[in-house]
Amino acid sequence: MTAAQTAPSPTPTSLPNRPLRVAVLGATGAVGQELLELLDERQFPVAELIPLASPRSAGQSLRWRDQALTIQPVEASAFDGVDVVLASAGGSVSRQWAPVAASAGAVVIDNSSAFRMDPEVPLVVPEVNPEAAFGHRGIIANPNCTTILLTLALAPLAAKRAIRRVVVSTYQSASGAGARAMEELRNLSRTVLDGGEPVSEVLPHSLAFNLFLHNSPLQPNGYCEEELKMVNETRKIMGTPELRLSATCVRVPVLRAHSEAVNIEFHEPFPVDEARALLAVAPGVELLENFEANRFPMPTDVTGRDPVAVGRIRQDLSEPNALELWLCGDQIRKGAALNAIQIAELLIQGPTATPGGAA
């Protein structure tokens, strides 16, 4: 029995087009704070906002839309009458509470890895596979940040020519490890500049003026958990279970934007100009390249912004059927909070919504 099947839900597949009761689970975290900001910025139809967090944070106050809201503890009664739950509190919390919220009639859009590979739970990037969202049974999974950014670049190309193989190297910011890791990067960078010895307490190694291979658990095949997330989630989102994909994930001293170097092999040649034209108009993508000036996407280009910037699209010199490209995207925004809210917006628009309309 899958996780989704343990909590059969009366929830309709779409959300009603009216002001909604919205719960944010994990409201005090980096992604939770971004969710609150985006709900306001995108004028999401909120009738009542219910911030939920651990008992440690319960009772504290936060401001949203000029309101002082009290953070509530997570308990079953907190989901009564809630239309949608935006969850970003970690896998163990989601496994415990998402089925409870779904049984209460809410749609749960979960940012953790708890349900991503559950065959009964849709894994959705609205610009890539919007139709999958409407097959939910109360829970929809938000993909891993690196996977979201990658699929935005792959999908427009795959719609034109089938992809044979993808090799990707990621350059992942501190934000992927949470707000405490971001603060540690700031503090340890000052320590190094002041001539001190940086000692990391949040990450396994100091990220100040340093980088290291991703610290998620290593698996028996030598890949880390983060790398296998990219493989398995990309296959599920794009509906290509046999896609050959290999990833190497690296943590780098950047605050909140991930970058990726991507090699894409097709079954036939793909003209660079054609690929560039497709990506230039792809929803959620911003083409940023100037070969004359050697100017391509950087983390600072996308920090605090919605689009995933793509550039340096070129022919692979070693393989006539392959292209190379580079991309950057804000990990907290499109890599997490924005994608979750776009899923909710898609459910309000209904199954006739187009991928472009969700961006």
Side-chain angles (χ1 to χ4, degrees):
M1 180 176 288
T2 68
Q5 289 173 322
T6 63
S9 172
T11 311
T13 57
S14 298
L15 286 171
N17 189 4
R18 57 164 170 77
L20 305 174
R21 296 190 77 230
V22 179
V24 176
L25 177 55
T28 58
V31 175
Q33 290 292 298
E34 194 79 7
L35 284 166
L36 296 175
E37 181 179 322
L38 284 167
L39 286 170
D40 185 28
E41 180 181 313
R42 295 176 72 87
Q43 299 184 344
F44 190 86
V46 178
E48 180 183 359
L49 182 70
I50 304 159
L52 303 174
S54 66
R56 180 185 46 163
S57 300
Q60 296 179 14
S61 181
L62 60 79
R63 294 202 64 81
W64 185 77
R65 287 185 180 173
D66 296 324
Q67 305 172 50
L69 303 177
T70 301
I71 298 172
Q72 301 181 24
V74 188
E75 54 191 16
S77 61
F79 302 109
D80 292 343
V82 169
D83 295 297
V84 60
V85 178
L86 301 171
S88 186
S92 60
V93 174
S94 289
R95 278 188 287 272
Q96 179 180 0
W97 292 109
V100 174
S103 292
V107 176
V108 181
I109 301 171
D110 181 47
N111 196 58
S112 80
S113 61
F115 304 103
R116 288 175 185 161
M117 297 315 298
D118 187 324
E120 300 295 331
V121 175
L123 184 65
V124 178
V125 178
E127 298 92 339
V128 178
N129 62 334
E131 69 290 338
F134 299 96
H136 75 85
R137 301 177 61 190
I139 301 172
I140 299 173
N142 206 30
N144 189 44
C145 45
T146 50
T147 305
I148 292 173
L149 308 183
L150 177 64
T151 57
L152 280 178
L154 293 183
L157 305 179
K160 190 70 173 179
R161 288 177 177 80
I163 294 174
R164 181 173 181 269
R165 183 171 185 253
V166 177
V167 179
V168 56
S169 296
T170 71
Y171 306 79
Q172 297 181 221
S173 60
S175 62
R180 291 178 61 233
M182 295 172 71
E183 187 60 26
E184 180 174 85
L185 174 57
R186 292 187 184 97
N187 292 337
L188 294 187
S189 296
R190 295 187 190 100
T191 297
V192 172
L193 290 171
D194 290 341
E197 182 68 27
V199 178
S200 178
E201 297 179 356
V202 179
L203 293 168
H205 313 285
S206 170
L207 202 53
F209 303 94
N210 189 33
L211 57 81
F212 49 85
L213 289 166
H214 200 279
N215 51 291
S216 58
L218 280 173
Q219 306 303 303
N221 61 5
Y223 284 78
C224 71
E225 189 177 89
E226 183 83 356
E227 292 159 350
L228 294 182
K229 285 179 185 178
M230 293 196 73
V231 174
N232 296 323
E233 293 180 23
T234 301
R235 289 172 173 171
K236 181 174 179 178
I237 293 164
M238 297 188 64
T240 52
E242 304 302 321
L243 177 65
R244 298 167 61 190
L245 193 153
S246 181
T248 301
C249 295
V250 182
R251 188 76 74 187
V252 298
V254 172
L255 279 176
R256 57 174 285 168
H258 288 354
S259 303
E260 302 180 18
V262 190
N263 181 282
I264 313 163
E265 182 181 345
F266 303 88
H267 293 276
E268 58 183 313
F270 202 134
V272 171
D273 287 345
E274 184 180 355
R276 181 173 291 118
L278 289 169
L279 289 167
V281 297
V285 172
E286 175 182 82
L287 187 66
L288 201 170
E289 57 179 12
N290 184 332
F291 281 85
E292 291 74 19
N294 196 14
R295 176 67 167 89
F296 305 104
M298 299 184 295
T300 51
D301 293 318
V302 295
T303 296
R305 299 181 61 237
D306 294 349
V308 172
V310 177
R312 209 174 180 214
I313 307 161
R314 61 201 187 278
Q315 172 70 53
D316 180 346
L317 293 177
S318 69
E319 170 53 61
N321 293 346
L323 298 176
E324 300 263 12
L325 60 81
W326 171 258
L327 64 83
C328 297
D330 188 308
Q331 183 272 329
I332 302 177
R333 208 167 177 96
K334 182 54 182 173
L338 174 61
N339 198 75
I341 290 178
Q342 287 176 313
I343 293 171
E345 292 170 342
L346 183 66
L347 294 180
I348 293 173
Q349 295 165 11
T352 58
T354 63

